[in-house]
């Protein structure tokens, strides 16, 4: 019986090749999209699960408000790890990681430094706790001694060409000699350590031994014993303030007690976050590596579901439409003894077959699209061909989808009455066409929703790029890691400034692009109480900084290197004025200090107020910031003339190599750095546009099939109309306009939903666009245009057909 | 007695008016009968045949088939009844285009849950009996109309029904082919199969042992 079903399924699919193609292709595209999304979501959800006992590992975070500064830190105080391990029997182990940032590394005998980005201090039991085995060396003792280091395999190969390098030495930052004591397998791509390559023994980090509760610099991970629960830790963490933090703070702020501390709105709160939640739920001031958000997972899951839904709807639509052609078969089978059950099984077999074939295609499509998807989503997902789990899911999915897509057509067709369907049975289509219309409306509603979303994302991106950020980011070359030049930095600056194609050069600690930097508490002279603290960014710049980045002063003057008093001068930004409670003009001459507990505080005179500029993402508000004319070794900003960048860069590199031989020359353009801030949005934009195109494609395949079917069904009507004198354009208009009505209804449904959803998305940005009616008009126009093109081909074809032929066959 | 119709009425409502398709039909069919139903277009011949074949219902009257009162039976029971005892032959053959001759013959057996070996034997037997062994792997479109109808009759017979209902079986055939089919019917009738056919042709009607004339839904 089943064989018979399969046979007839194969033959009837072959007979209606066009319909089968539309159906399979549409379904395959939808499933391929869904498959990619599923792989992505699975990848996201399984971050950091490869570590031994990952479910027992937590990171200890801190929320601290002190003196007006709010910190949401993923890092903690140096003693935290030891305190938790000693105080609580439930804590099996605790380790700290301290990011060092970039480090210059060379082999002892060499003079050529290489810059390594991800270097971190780690406690001795770090490898043990995360279950990382060492390829060389002993995991338990590798990081016990000061000035020992563990390299990743790739790093070892890079420096030594072999991994058998235990006992070899490397020189860090031209002075510290480290001995390699272990080699670790490159860290898993799907982990919070994915970018880390070099681990130094925490024993060599003096600050890690200090009992300081006020600085948060150590990522602290604890592992609980199997029977312990997160809540026991929570309780203990609440007691840290009384037990450790206040006694420590009283050394610096005598007389401060818990009441006075809390009264001024301050707080200290410690939390644990499960290791496996970090990737999707943690968004702290600094993270060990860039995290994703659960929101992205949701958005993509929805898009994936939409795609599969669209494809399913398509399938149901086309199947029911084309099923009318098979009414005769249903009639014959019924008179020959088939009951509804038989027919349902038969049609489900067919849909199952199509789904299965589509699934095979989908796997192929997804396989070839995966590299593109990876680069778009910034992931390194591998196709899990070898995992039985994956294939089980695939087969289960095609079964479920087969049932789902086949159920309506099967239900619909199996209820045909034999006599009617044998006679021609076109009257059975009425109920079906209502469902079909609803489904078309639904499809276009989703497509238009996605179009609107895409347009809004891109409009916001364009807005960001075009927004006046308060400085000029064009033609600015940033030479990074200026510290590598050592004391020759000023020489480098002078030589570069003397180049004809360079307008100006500035050395500073920070550029106005997001980077890791904290706030400092400043106090205005005369109101030195903790609660009056102003949380400010402290940037070290030189007198050329404002000019090089084209920042505008709204009051006061720029630094003057010739004035000795300017070394204790500060230029604040507009945002600081609110904290000072004065206007720009009034701010001049105010004095601020960060030495609150010192006998002889250094006061800085406000000599200027700079127009607000964005130095973080536009998602965030501009915070108070002070520019200080102090020597710094962060980066060198070079404003270029608008000509021949390559030659100028070559010239600058030449100077660098003469001034700092053997040191790496790292540079980037400021506008590229700026755009990198919005990488997440750009990714979202790309993902949206891809999936929007896919969804439109699927909807169009469906519409195309329906139009073809409709034209065929109305062949006789068209023939009669033509004989009676209707023109081609009149007929094609008639055939097209019916579909357009459905598309219009779909558009009307989706616009308010899209408006609501995208407004929610935009709320994330402190600086955002108004969506505006144009977006909706454009989206509607796109949908309509695509629908017209899709349908009109069939309509015109039908209208052009010879009436004599069509009437004869009736 | 195979079946009996008593005072059968069937109507449809059209534009607020009751239009009668069958009016007071009384008919007894014994086993071994060969009945031809005649009448002009729209006189209700096909409707009467469909009612007897249980493919269509009626509004009033009684219908007994092999001592069972069809009008009181549930839909499912009725379906089992006609599947068991009735074979249909259609004017336009209604073979499944996607299946070969052999597969078309096999289909009713599939629905009646015969075993594979049994099905093979029965199909082979039928192919033999109708002399179409050589055509068993052809698709309907590759056959002439007469041959297709031959397959149609073979398919109707394959599950050994007691009654064959034929709705203008020769309507699409030329006179030679018609002749062949009618002789086949006569032969089958001699072998004990009850046949009721609807026909327009006076000549074909003569093959029947009995002729029923319908006019406007009424027997005359």
């Amino acid at each position: 019986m089943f064989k018979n079903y399969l046979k007839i399924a194969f033959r009837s699919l072959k007979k209606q090749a066009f319909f089968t193609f539309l159906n399979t292709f549409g379904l395959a595209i939808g499933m391929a999209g869904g498959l990619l999304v599923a792989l992505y979501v699975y990848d996201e959800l399984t971050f950091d699960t490869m570590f031994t006992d990952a479910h027992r590992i937590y990171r200890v975070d801190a929320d601290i408000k002190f003196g007006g500064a709010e910190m949401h830190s993923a890092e903690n105080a140096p003693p935290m790890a030891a305190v938790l391990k000693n105080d609580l029997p439930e804590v099996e182990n605790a380790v700290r990681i301290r990011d060092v940032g970039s480090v210059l590394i060379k082999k002892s005998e060499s003079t050529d430094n290489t810059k390594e980005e991800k270097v971190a201090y780690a406690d001795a039991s770090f490898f043990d706790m995360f279950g990382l085995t060492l390829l060389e060396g002993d995991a338990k003792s590798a990081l016990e001694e000061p000035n020992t280091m563990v390299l990743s395999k790739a790093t070892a190969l890079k420096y030594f060409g072999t991994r058998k390098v235990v006992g070899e030495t490397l020189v860090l930052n031209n002075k510290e000699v480290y001995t390699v004591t272990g080699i670790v397998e490159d860290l898993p791509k799907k982990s919070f350590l994915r970018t880390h390559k070099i681990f130094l023994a925490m024993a060599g980090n003096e600050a890690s031994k200090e009992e300081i509760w006020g600085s948060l610099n150590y990522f602290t991970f604890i592992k609980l014993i199997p029977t312990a629960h997160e809540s026991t830790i929570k309780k203990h963490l609440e007691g840290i303030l009384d037990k450790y933090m206040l006694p420590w703070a009283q050394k610096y702020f005598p007389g401060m007690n818990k009441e006075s501390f809390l009264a001024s709105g301050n707080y200290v709160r410690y939390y644990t976050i499960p290791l496996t939640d970090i990737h999707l739920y943690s968004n702290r001031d600094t993270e060990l590596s860039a995290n994703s958000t659960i929101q992205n997972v949701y958005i993509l899951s929805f898009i994936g579901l939409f795609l599969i839904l669209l494809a399913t709807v398509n399938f149901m639509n086309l199947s029911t439409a084309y099923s009318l052609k098979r009414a005769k078969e249903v009639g014959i089978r019924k008179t020959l003894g088939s009951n509804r059950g038989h027919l349902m099984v038969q049609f489900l077999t067919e849909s199952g077959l199509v789904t299965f074939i589509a699934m095979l295609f989908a796997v192929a499509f997804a396989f070839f699209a995966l590299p593109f998807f990876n680069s778009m989503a910034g992931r390194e997902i591998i196709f899990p061909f070898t995992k039985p789990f994956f294939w089980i899911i695939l087969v289960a999915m095609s079964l479920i989808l087969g049932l789902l897509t086949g159920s309506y057509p099967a239900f619909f067709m199996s209820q045909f009455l034999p006599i009617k369907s044998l006679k021609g049975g076109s009257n059975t289509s009425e109920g079906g066409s209502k469902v079909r219309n609803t489904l078309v409306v639904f499809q276009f509603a989703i497509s238009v929703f996605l179009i609107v979303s895409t347009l809004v994302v891109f409009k916001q991106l364009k807005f960001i790029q075009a927004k006046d950020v308060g400085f000029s980011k064009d033609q600015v070359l940033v030479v990074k890691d200026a510290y590598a030049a050592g004391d020759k930095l000023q020489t480098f600056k002078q030589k570069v400034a003397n180049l004809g194609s360079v307008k100006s050069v500035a050395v500073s600690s920070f550029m106005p692009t997001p980077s890791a930097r904290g706030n400092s508490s400043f106090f205005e002279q005369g109101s030195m109480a903790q609660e009056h603290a102003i949380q400010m960014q402290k940037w070290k710049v030189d007198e050329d900084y404002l000019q090089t980045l084209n920042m505008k002063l709204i009051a006061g003057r720029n630094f003057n290197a010739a004035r000795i008093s300017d070394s204790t001068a500060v230029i604040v930004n507009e945002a600081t004025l609110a904290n000072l409670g004065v206007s720009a003009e009034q701010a001049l001459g105010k004095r601020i200090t960060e030495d609150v507990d010192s006998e002889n505080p250094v006061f800085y005179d406000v000599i200027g107020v700079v127009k607000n500029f964005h130095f973080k993402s536009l998602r965030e508000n501009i915070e108070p910031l002070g520019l200080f004319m102090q020597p710094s070794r962060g980066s060198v900003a070079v404003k270029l003339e608008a000509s021949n960048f390559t030659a100028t860069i070559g010239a600058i590199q030449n100077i660098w190599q003469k001034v700092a031989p053997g040191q790496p020359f790292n540079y980037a353009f400021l506008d590229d750095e700026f755009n990198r801030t919005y990488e997440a949005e750009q990714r979202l934009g790309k993902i949206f546009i891809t999936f929007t195109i896919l969804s439109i494609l699927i909807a169009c395949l469906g519409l195309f099939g329906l139009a073809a079917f409709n034209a065929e069904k109305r062949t006789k009507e068209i023939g009669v109309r033509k004989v009676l004198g209707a023109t081609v354009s009149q007929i094609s208009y008639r055939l097209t306009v019916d579909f357009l009505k459905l598309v219009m209804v779909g558009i009307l449904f989706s616009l308010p939903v899209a408006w609501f959803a995208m407004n929610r998305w935009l709320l994330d940005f402190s600086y955002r666009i108004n969506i505006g009616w144009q977006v909706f008009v454009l989206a509607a126009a796109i949908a309509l245009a695509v629908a017209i093109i899709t349908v009109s081909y069939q309509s015109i074809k039908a209208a052009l057909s010879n009436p004599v032929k069509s009437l004869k066959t009736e | 007695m195979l079946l009996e119709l008593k005072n059968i009425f069937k109507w449809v409502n059209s534009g607020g008016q009751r239009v009668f398709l069958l009016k007071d039909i009384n008919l007894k069919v014994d086993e071994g009968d060969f009945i031809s139903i005649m009448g002009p277009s729209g006189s209700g011949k096909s409707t009467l045949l469909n009612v007897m074949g249980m493919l269509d219902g009626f509004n009033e009257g009684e219908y007994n088939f092999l001592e069972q009162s069809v009008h009181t039976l549930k839909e499912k029971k009725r379906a089992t009844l006609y599947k068991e005892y009735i074979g249909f032959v259609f004017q336009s053959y209604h073979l499944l285009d996607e299946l070969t001759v052999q597969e078309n013959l096999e289909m009713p057996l599939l629905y009646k849950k015969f075993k594979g070996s049994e099905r093979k034997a029965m199909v082979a037997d039928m192919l033999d009996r109708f002399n179409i062994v050589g055509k068993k792997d052809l698709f309907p479109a590759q056959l002439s109309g007469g041959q297709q109808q031959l397959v149609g009759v073979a398919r109707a017979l394959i599950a050994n029904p007691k009654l064959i209902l034929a709705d203008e079986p020769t309507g699409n055939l030329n006179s030679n082919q018609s002749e062949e089919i009618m002789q086949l019917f006569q032969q089958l009738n001699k072998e004990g199969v009850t046949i009721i056919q609807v026909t327009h042709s006076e000549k074909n009607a003569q093959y029947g042992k009995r002729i029923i004339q319908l006019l406007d839904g009424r027997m005359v």
Side-chain angles (χ1 to χ4, degrees), chain B residues 33-68:
Chain B
D33 249 345
F34 189 167
I35 299 174
S36 301
I37 302 175
M38 294 196 70
S41 287
S43 60
K45 307 181 298 286
S46 293
T47 309
L48 178 59
L49 203 72
N50 286 335
V51 165
M52 285 193 283
M54 302 176 212
L55 296 177
D56 212 347
F58 48 91
N59 300 89
E60 227 178 271
E62 281 178 36
Y63 176 17
N64 297 311
F65 188 92
L66 287 171
E67 317 300 316
Q68 298 203 58

Side-chain angles (χ1 to χ4, degrees), chain A residues 218-238:
Chain A
Y218 295 84
F219 293 95
T220 304
F221 292 89
I222 55 172
K223 184 191 260 188
L224 301 186
I225 58 171
T227 51
H229 193 262
E230 201 181 344
S231 56
T232 52
I233 308 299
K234 197 178 161 195
K235 215 166 173 190
H236 193 76
L237 287 173
E238 283 164 10

Side-chain angles (χ1 to χ4, degrees), chain A residues 254-265:
Chain A
M256 188 172 82
N257 56 25
K258 194 172 184 183
E259 284 66 40
S260 71
F261 174 76
L262 295 177
S264 42

